[in-house]
Amino acid sequence: MFGIWGHEKAAELTYYGLHALQHRGQEGAGIVVNVGGELKAHKGLNLVNDVFKDVEFDQLQGRYAIGHVRYSTQGQDGIENVQPLLFHSQTESMALAHSGNIINAYELRGQLEKQGSILQTSSDTEILAHLIKRDGQDINERSISKALNKLHGAYTYIILTKDKLYAALDPHGIFTLSIGLLGDSYVIASETCAFDQIGATFVRDVLPGELITIDNNGLKSSRFAKQEKRTLCAMEYVYLSRPDSNENYVNVHASRKQMGKELAKEAPAPTNADIVIGVPDSSISAAIGFAEESGLPYEMGIIKNRYVGRTFIKPSQELREQGVKMKLSPVRGIIEGKRVIMIDDSIVRGTTSKRIVQMLKDAGAKEVHVRIASPSIEHPCYYGIDMSTYEELIAANHTAGEIAEIIGADSIAFLSEDGLEKAVLKDRSINQGLCTACMSGGYPIKEKEEKNFHFV
Ligand code: AMP
């Protein structure tokens, strides 16, 4: 998500910002811009480039804009769910962008329907809009705070009205939102790499339970909820974020490299190993760290065809497997005859690792030892990462030894949770922690409502 307040090229800058955030979702993209007090949306399915290829930004002149790239988790990928969603009432309009998952969405939807609301989308984003406008309330800090208080879950929101921009983060801070400045214009983004893209400077992160209001008088902070212990999604560091982003003041590349180092300490390479390789792109940092710690050469053993999309996001298993095949190729000249340590950032369903081990063996690797730079993922995520059932998680159903056998590896080891925390958290004594629910089963938010999944 991206938002900018008070810049003459607001829509164009949002477009560049969304480009930097493209890795967070490839199913759809949209921008809403305030053109002379009127909110105008441009949205479409697919990548940012496809959606905006015919847009003349000169025609979208406005000083305030928000944008979103969509990553849906249950195949609800129709155009009606592409954000930002735009709502009009007799008195005012609002655009809403949301990321994460509202756990009590099903319940809230039911309540709204009983009171006469008819919702247009299957996305839980719409629920907040209805809650804000309930009883004909104006859209302001008070009504937004009141509505946010009804939500349980992991969420970040950016809201644009004709004269204000709001940003909010859930009380547990499961995801992140950062605040930047470009000249005098405030910028909000899901990841700091979007600031670098447009030349903005980082100011600070939005705090859990904080509602930020930006208007022509500047930026104001208020609290809609008490801050809970911070439990930032560990998968943000493991896989989701771009390495040049800082999440909660920690650089993502540096944390991944450290995960690799911790992994090498916990599960060293066999003494006769020759090289360390990583699965591009998200495992490269950890592979460099593992190699450095082990004193082994880091090699480019796999290359990636950058024109094929992310495999994980494809809806069916068959498409996913085909996707891996098209995306990654072994560098035979490097692999042949070697004992290879292959680092991947995570194993979810096991599709990627299985295919890669096979590929490396076909390319002549003597041995393939798999080291995973995160703990094994054994529990579904209820907060917005696409891992929603026990059945699909290979580590929920098999031991490490069985996984090694299934994927054809000579050995396998996962990073411990302690190692992960050491790599990511600067100060483990303060009130800052990680959400490792998918690894440990310790869910920071108590309710789990599987029936809500289709409303992501
Ligand atoms: P799998 O093939 O299902 O085991 O998926 C593991 C691969 O998907 C790893 O190589 C990761 O880089 C990547 N991955 C892990 N988590 C996610 C996620 N939430 N969304 C997309 N890709 C992911």
Side-chain angles (χ1 to χ4, degrees):
M1 301 199 306
F2 185 91
I4 182 160
W5 184 262
H7 196 288
E8 57 187 9
K9 291 193 182 311
E12 193 171 345
L13 288 165
T14 303
Y15 167 74
Y16 296 132
L18 292 187
H19 262 293
L21 300 172
Q22 182 76 84
H23 59 287
R24 297 189 73 84
Q26 295 100 49
E27 285 173 12
I31 293 177
V32 171
V33 58
N34 180 329
V35 183
E38 199 189 325
L39 299 183
K40 289 198 170 161
H42 185 91
K43 304 196 273 189
L45 292 171
N46 293 322
L47 302 176
V48 176
N49 242 346
D50 304 321
V51 174
F52 293 95
K53 66 177 185 302
D54 298 322
V55 171
E56 300 278 351
F57 282 99
D58 291 350
Q59 313 291 309
L60 271 186
Q61 293 280 4
R63 294 174 56 78
Y64 320 104
I66 64 173
H68 188 268
V69 286
R70 180 162 175 80
Y71 158 69
S72 82
T73 54
Q74 287 290 308
Q76 296 273 316
D77 51 5
I79 181 77
E80 71 279 8
N81 285 326
V82 175
Q83 302 183 37
L85 298 183
L86 191 47
F87 302 90
H88 300 289
S89 72
Q90 282 186 335
T91 48
E92 54 195 332
S93 301
M94 105 174 112
L96 247 169
H98 161 227
S99 155
N101 199 22
I102 305 303
I103 295 173
N104 60 339
Y106 187 83
E107 196 186 309
L108 290 171
R109 238 181 139 82
Q111 286 169 11
L112 286 167
E113 284 180 16
K114 267 197 211 125
Q115 289 158 1
S117 294
I118 300 176
L119 287 90
Q120 288 184 34
T121 70
S122 59
S123 130
D124 49 12
T125 310
E126 202 181 347
I127 293 173
L128 184 71
H130 281 254
L131 291 174
I132 294 172
K133 283 299 286 175
R134 277 266 296 281
D135 312 320
Q137 299 188 79
D138 291 336
I139 305 163
N140 54 33
E141 268 162 58
R142 218 176 138 263
S143 58
I144 294 174
S145 296
K146 208 169 138 199
L148 287 169
N149 260 302
K150 300 209 163 73
L151 308 179
H152 297 193
Y155 53 84
T156 51
Y157 280 98
I158 302 186
I159 301 171
L160 181 68
T161 63
K162 71 173 191 318
D163 54 9
K164 286 191 173 45
L165 192 152
Y166 301 92
L169 172 63
D170 73 80
H172 295 269
I174 292 184
F175 297 113
T176 55
L177 263 188
S178 299
I179 306 170
L181 260 180
L182 178 65
D184 296 334
S185 311
Y186 278 105
V187 192
I188 304 279
S190 304
E191 272 185 48
T192 58
C193 64
F195 298 157
D196 301 325
Q197 175 84 69
I198 61 164
T201 45
F202 171 77
V203 176
R204 71 169 175 94
D205 278 347
V206 177
L207 294 167
E210 186 182 26
L211 175 65
I212 296 288
T213 307
I214 302 169
D215 61 16
N216 289 339
N217 298 318
L219 182 146
K220 212 174 109 195
S221 158
S222 62
R223 282 214 157 270
F224 65 89
K226 172 175 131 298
Q227 174 168 352
E228 303 285 345
K229 180 181 187 266
R230 182 91 201 240
T231 45
L232 173 48
C233 170
M235 290 307 284
E236 286 279 350
Y237 291 104
V238 169
Y239 170 79
L240 264 179
S241 298
R242 242 171 67 159
D244 52 338
S245 287
N246 294 341
E247 292 260 318
N248 201 17
Y249 307 91
V250 173
N251 172 251
V252 172
H253 163 73
S255 73
R256 286 183 188 157
K257 194 169 164 196
Q258 195 57 36
M259 287 176 214
K261 289 190 174 201
E262 298 296 334
L263 181 59
K265 288 182 215 160
E266 289 179 6
T271 42
N272 57 2
D274 296 307
I275 54 171
V276 177
I277 67 169
V279 181
D281 293 316
S282 44
S283 309
I284 302 293
S285 308
I288 293 171
F290 192 100
E292 214 172 283
E293 184 66 31
S294 329
L296 284 169
Y298 164 73
E299 275 293 0
M300 197 167 75
I302 303 170
I303 59 150
K304 179 174 161 185
N305 181 338
R306 69 183 62 176
Y307 304 102
V308 181
R310 280 192 164 188
T311 48
F312 193 93
I313 282 171
K314 299 275 183 303
S316 77
Q317 186 68 9
E318 201 182 311
L319 279 177
R320 235 179 251 125
E321 278 177 27
Q322 185 57 27
V324 176
K325 226 183 268 177
M326 285 168 62
K327 201 168 75 169
L328 300 170
S329 315
V331 183
R332 184 176 284 275
I334 295 291
I335 299 298
E336 206 160 19
K338 303 271 177 38
R339 293 185 181 88
V340 178
I341 310 295
M342 184 202 102
I343 311 293
D344 202 354
D345 57 82
S346 55
I347 289 189
V348 181
R349 299 172 178 96
T351 318
T352 313
S353 302
K354 185 174 178 188
R355 171 73 203 134
I356 294 171
V357 171
Q358 183 63 51
M359 197 167 83
L360 295 173
K361 294 230 161 151
D362 290 348
K366 224 191 265 175
E367 287 169 22
V368 179
H369 299 274
V370 173
R371 296 289 179 273
I372 303 296
S374 64
S376 58
I377 294 174
E378 299 175 18
H379 304 271
C381 177
Y382 299 103
Y383 306 139
I385 305 283
D386 182 12
M387 314 184 292
S388 55
T389 63
Y390 279 101
E391 296 77 66
E392 68 190 320
L393 302 173
I394 191 167
N397 301 296
H398 298 281
T399 62
E402 287 167 354
I403 298 174
E405 207 166 299
I406 294 168
I407 68 174
D410 293 278
S411 74
I412 192 167
F414 294 84
L415 181 64
S416 70
E417 257 189 72
D418 188 57
L420 173 71
E421 290 193 354
K422 269 191 205 149
V424 177
L425 300 176
K426 272 193 197 145
D427 179 353
R428 298 171 81 198
S429 62
I430 56 172
N431 201 19
Q432 298 283 336
L434 292 176
C435 175
T436 54
C438 60
M439 300 150 185
S440 64
Y443 293 92
I445 306 168
K446 293 298 157 248
E447 307 96 310
K448 303 182 216 167
E449 289 203 45
E450 298 180 34
K451 58 187 181 231
N452 283 319
F453 276 142
H454 56 290
F455 293 129
V456 172

